[in-house]
Amino acid sequence: AQKITQTQPGMFVQEKEAVTLDCTYDTSDPSYGLFWYKQPSSGEMIFLIYQGSYDQQNATEGRYSLNFQKARKSANLVISASQLGDSAMYFCATSISSGSARQLTFGSGTQLTVLP
Amino acid sequence: KAGVTQTPRYLIKTRGQQVTLSCSPISGHRSVSWYQQTPGQGLQFLFEYFSETQRNKGNFPGRFSGRQFSNSRSEMNVSTLELGDSALYLCASGGDPAYNEQFFGPGTRLTVL
């Protein structure tokens, strides 16, 4: 079984500053994927970034980067130069990269508020 | 490419009724997964369909069922609705299998009165 822990229920950041959202995971599978999704108040889950367990380098997508520390089972999301539109709920998720059945296990989420 | 579409977006039902939700995945995607999101339980996996076959199922009662058609569109059905079934139901379209990526639709918000 897989488990995702997000210990920050809420975070505040000043506009244009960087912010780190924490995520730790627990899985016994040797091959897995780590995801971050953004969920605005409208409800849609927006894919942000992906990290494979065998990827040597940290994933980056524009202002988003994933700080992957495999030994610590940590996959923190870093948002650089925060914008007001970044205010949303952020979910960390993991999946087994079995190539067959797909199932994401989500954390409880972090509510990020960007202050002007 | 068009994104994942879900219909209806909002639904109000009463206890004991049944409901059917629809999801159309991204063109070319053959995997469709369903998730339930509630304030108390968070995001929970319901089931996944691939090429018209249920490939994986979460821990939900038999009142929750689904199916997938040959064009990859999927429906989920909830029978004998309970108040606790009020939730946002999200559908995810399966992309590159090498990355297990999933792209979500806007969701259907179900309210059971």
Side-chain angles (χ1 to χ4, degrees), chain A residues 33 35 37 39 41-47 50 91 95-107, chain B residues 9 31 33 35 37 43 45 48 55-56 88 90 94-106 109:
Chain A
F35 302 78
Y37 287 89
Q39 187 178 43
S41 56
S42 61
E44 184 171 0
M45 297 285 282
I46 301 168
F47 168 76
Y50 167 86
F91 290 95
S95 74
I96 304 170
S97 297
S98 66
S100 57
R102 299 164 185 258
Q103 177 177 342
L104 291 173
T105 300
F106 286 88
Chain B
R9 293 293 310 279
S31 167
S33 300
Y35 292 82
Q37 185 178 25
L43 280 149
F45 172 78
E48 185 222 358
R55 199 160 61 169
N56 198 7
L88 178 66
L90 291 160
D96 189 333
Y99 301 110
N100 249 332
E101 60 186 7
Q102 294 193 34
F103 299 97
F104 285 82
R109 195 168 293 277

Side-chain angles (χ1 to χ4, degrees), chain A residues 20-88:
Chain A
T20 298
L21 307 184
D22 294 341
C23 171
T24 57
Y25 60 92
D26 187 12
T27 178
S28 56
D29 298 292
S31 178
Y32 51 89
L34 294 156
F35 302 78
W36 277 93
Y37 287 89
K38 170 185 176 182
Q39 187 178 43
S41 56
S42 61
E44 184 171 0
M45 297 285 282
I46 301 168
F47 168 76
L48 295 178
I49 196 166
Y50 167 86
Q51 178 87 40
S53 58
Y54 291 116
D55 293 341
Q56 296 293 321
Q57 292 194 325
N58 287 341
T60 59
E61 288 285 349
R63 295 186 298 112
Y64 304 106
S65 60
L66 199 153
N67 185 359
F68 181 47
Q69 298 187 43
K70 194 171 182 177
R72 292 186 171 188
K73 294 191 174 181
S74 165
N76 298 339
L77 177 71
V78 180
I79 305 175
S80 63
S82 297
Q83 301 172 355
L84 295 178
D86 294 334
S87 293

Side-chain angles (χ1 to χ4, degrees), chain B residues 50-88:
Chain B
F50 182 86
S51 293
E52 302 179 64
T53 301
Q54 187 182 88
R55 199 160 61 169
N56 198 7
K57 190 177 191 305
N59 189 25
F60 278 81
R63 299 185 297 107
F64 292 81
S65 63
R67 59 177 175 170
Q68 187 180 32
F69 302 94
S70 58
N71 62 357
S72 294
R73 189 177 70 86
S74 176
E75 289 181 346
M76 70 162 279
N77 185 76
V78 187
S79 62
T80 319
L81 283 166
E82 301 177 359
L83 295 179
D85 297 333
S86 293
L88 178 66

Side-chain angles (χ1 to χ4, degrees), chain B residues 15-62:
Chain B
R15 278 183 301 173
Q17 286 187 309
Q18 75 165 18
V19 66
T20 299
L21 313 181
S22 179
C23 170
S24 292
I26 293 169
S27 178
H29 287 187
R30 293 191 291 165
S31 167
V32 174
S33 300
W34 290 88
Y35 292 82
Q36 181 197 63
Q37 185 178 25
T38 60
Q41 299 298 317
L43 280 149
Q44 293 185 289
F45 172 78
L46 279 156
F47 30 64
E48 185 222 358
Y49 285 87
F50 182 86
S51 293
E52 302 179 64
T53 301
Q54 187 182 88
R55 199 160 61 169
N56 198 7
K57 190 177 191 305
N59 189 25
F60 278 81

